Amino acid sequence: VQLVESGGGLVQAGGSLRLSCAVSGFTFFDDYSITWFRQTPGKEREGVSCINISERSTYYADSVKGRFTISRDYNKPMVYLQMNNLKPEDTALYYCAGDRRYRDETTWWLVSDYRHWGQGTQVTVSS
């Protein structure tokens, strides 16, 4: 089981980035949920957005609602995070995590619930 993030970089405030999470080693990708987390030094990892692959239900942290959009690719096992109107406080190392289970709105953000993680991709937003 492997998750690989890409798409991070340096962008000015107000700009956009699209992160990708490529998953492999899974069977029945449609049974999975994939979640984006982020972390800055000295702070706890926080949930950003989650998608249940089969139902396409999605969840977002309040801090990114209306600016970020999570989606899946229907041709290959990938999940994207489109980030618009980026702010300096969005600067962080972004991780994707996944498991073969359904996530609901009350627990999708629990770091301890995830077994499989990528290595992260850095997003830096300058003011």
Side-chain angles (χ1 to χ4, degrees):
V1 174
Q2 189 175 22
L3 298 93
V4 179
E5 304 94 337
S6 61
L10 173 64
V11 65
Q12 289 188 331
S16 299
L17 284 174
R18 188 178 81 157
L19 304 185
S20 299
C21 176
V23 299
S24 61
F26 289 92
T27 54
F28 306 111
F29 182 61
D30 279 1
D31 291 347
Y32 281 84
S33 58
I34 302 293
T35 298
W36 286 96
F37 289 85
R38 65 186 182 187
Q39 189 170 24
T40 55
K43 292 188 177 181
E44 294 186 354
R45 198 168 293 189
E46 64 170 348
V48 176
S49 183
C50 172
I51 184 168
N52 288 300
I53 296 298
S54 61
E55 293 189 359
R56 295 174 248 172
S57 53
T58 58
Y59 311 110
Y60 295 92
D62 288 343
S63 58
V64 306
K65 281 180 181 175
R67 300 188 298 122
F68 291 11
T69 303
I70 192 169
S71 63
R72 64 163 293 181
D73 192 306
Y74 287 93
N75 296 314
K76 49 191 172 183
M78 291 189 70
V79 169
Y80 305 104
L81 185 68
Q82 178 67 43
M83 306 187 296
N84 298 329
N85 190 22
L86 282 160
K87 304 176 180 180
E89 52 264 42
D90 295 318
T91 295
L93 188 60
Y94 283 72
Y95 301 89
C96 63
D99 269 304
R100 189 180 176 185
R101 59 176 286 185
Y102 177 82
R103 303 285 177 181
D104 65 31
E105 61 184 1
T106 64
T107 61
W108 67 268
W109 44 270
L110 291 173
V111 173
S112 58
D113 268 9
Y114 291 82
R115 293 179 296 161
H116 307 296
W117 292 83
Q119 294 300 305
T121 185
Q122 178 67 38
V123 172
T124 302
V125 184
S126 62
S127 57

